[in-house]
C-alpha cells in the first residue's frame, strides 16, 4: 500500500491508522503562527462507525488504502441482514441493514448497489444516486399557486417524507436523489 505524507490527505481518502481503517471525512490545513503546519483530519472508522480527530504533520507518513468497488444486486433482507449477489461469480454476501443508515428505505428488490471491499471484507454500500418512487399521499394541487419556491409535503411508497413542487400529484412517479433525500424530477 502506498504511504502518503500527512499534508496529502484529502477528504474521502481511506487510511490505515492505529490498526483500523478510517475514512477522512473532513480535512483542514492549519498553519499556526508558531510551529509547523499540520492537517487536522476528522476520520470515521469504516468497521464500527466511531469518529476520531487527528493531527498529521507533513513529515508524518500514513498508509493510504484503495478499496475495490463491485456492483452487486440486492436480493432480500432476513433477520436485519441485507443479502447481495455478485453478478459475475454469483457469490452472496450479507451486510447489516444499518450500513445504509437513513437511506435504507430507498433500497428496492433487484437494485444494483456499489459495495466497497478491503481485501475480502465488505465495508460500505452505496445506493444509486437517483431512485424512482411513487407518491402515495400528498395535498391536492391548488390552482393559482405558482410561487417559485413553494413546496408541499408528500409521502412516498417506501414511507419516506419529501417535499415536492405543487404540480406533482398523488400516484405519480418521481425521481428522488438518495444523497440529499430530496425531489429531483418527474419520472
Amino acid at each position: 500500500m502506498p504511504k502518503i505524507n500527512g499534508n496529502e490527505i484529502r477528504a474521502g481518502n481511506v487510511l490505515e491508522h492505529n490498526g483500523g481503517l478510517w475514512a477522512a471525512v473532513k480535512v483542514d490545513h492549519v498553519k499556526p503562527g508558531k510551529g509547523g503546519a499540520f492537517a487536522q483530519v476528522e476520520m470515521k472508522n469504516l468497521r464500527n462507525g466511531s469518529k476520531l480527530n487527528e493531527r498529521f504533520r507533513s513529515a508524518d507518513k500514513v498508509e493510504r488504502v484503495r478499496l475495490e468497488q463491485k456492483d452487486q444486486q440486492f436480493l432480500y433482507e432476513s433477520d436485519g441482514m441485507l443479502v447481495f449477489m455478485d453478478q459475475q461469480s454469483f457469490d452472496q454476501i450479507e451486510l447489516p441493514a444499518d450500513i445504509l443508515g437513513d437511506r435504507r428505505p430507498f433500497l428496492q428488490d433487484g437494485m444494483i448497489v456499489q459495495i466497497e471491499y478491503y481485501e475480502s471484507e465488505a465495508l460500505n454500500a452505496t445506493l444509486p444516486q437517483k431512485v424512482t418512487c411513487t407518491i402515495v399521499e400528498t395535498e391536492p394541487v391548488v390552482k393559482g399557486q405558482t410561487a417559485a419556491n413553494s413546496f408541499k409535503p408528500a409521502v412516498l411508497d417506501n414511507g419516506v417524507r419529501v417535499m415536492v413542487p405543487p404540480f406533482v400529484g398523488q400516484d405519480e412517479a418521481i425521481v428522488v436523489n438518495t444523497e440529499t433525500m430530496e425531489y429531483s424530477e418527474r419520472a
Side-chain angles (χ1 to χ4, degrees):
M1 281 179 281
K3 283 194 178 266
I4 60 172
N5 292 336
N7 61 348
E8 295 174 358
I9 299 171
R10 301 283 175 261
N13 286 2
V14 178
L15 311 171
E16 190 170 326
H17 180 67
N18 291 348
L21 285 178
W22 301 83
V25 179
K26 189 175 165 191
V27 179
D28 288 325
H29 293 280
V30 182
K31 178 143 181 29
K34 206 172 190 176
F38 59 87
Q40 182 75 37
V41 183
E42 183 181 317
M43 300 187 294
K44 182 179 177 211
N45 191 312
L46 292 176
R47 291 190 174 114
N48 61 21
S50 62
K51 293 205 171 186
L52 174 70
N53 264 322
E54 196 75 53
R55 284 183 175 182
F56 293 100
R57 302 213 172 273
S58 61
D60 296 341
K61 296 281 189 197
V62 190
E63 294 240 357
R64 183 171 173 206
V65 178
R66 293 218 184 268
L67 297 181
E68 183 183 354
Q69 298 176 334
K70 289 184 183 176
D71 288 341
Q72 299 197 330
Q73 184 177 21
F74 172 64
L75 297 178
Y76 59 91
E77 179 176 5
S78 77
D79 300 328
M81 299 298 278
L82 304 174
V83 179
F84 295 94
M85 179 183 69
D86 189 308
Q87 294 180 301
Q88 277 81 38
S89 66
F90 302 107
D91 293 336
Q92 293 185 7
I93 61 156
E94 287 188 351
L95 292 173
D98 59 358
I99 197 166
L100 293 172
D102 52 358
R103 288 161 182 70
R104 167 66 187 97
F106 291 108
L107 186 63
Q108 299 165 350
D109 287 343
M111 181 178 273
I112 304 297
V113 176
Q114 192 175 65
I115 310 282
E116 292 182 326
Y117 285 90
Y118 173 65
E119 293 168 357
S120 62
E121 178 186 9
L123 294 173
N124 195 9
T126 309
L127 291 177
Q129 188 177 3
K130 296 192 174 186
V131 175
T132 303
C133 298
T134 307
I135 296 176
V136 292
E137 181 185 323
T138 187
E139 299 165 10
V141 178
V142 180
K143 277 207 179 295
Q145 185 179 11
T146 56
N149 272 352
S150 62
F151 280 82
K152 62 183 182 179
V155 179
L156 302 176
D157 52 3
N158 56 13
V160 176
R161 294 184 161 275
V162 295
M163 298 299 282
V164 297
F167 58 80
V168 178
Q170 193 166 326
D171 299 326
E172 273 192 61
I174 63 168
V175 176
V176 178
N177 184 329
T178 56
E179 291 171 9
T180 60
M181 297 182 66
E182 294 174 349
Y183 166 87
S184 181
E185 61 193 3
R186 275 183 167 161

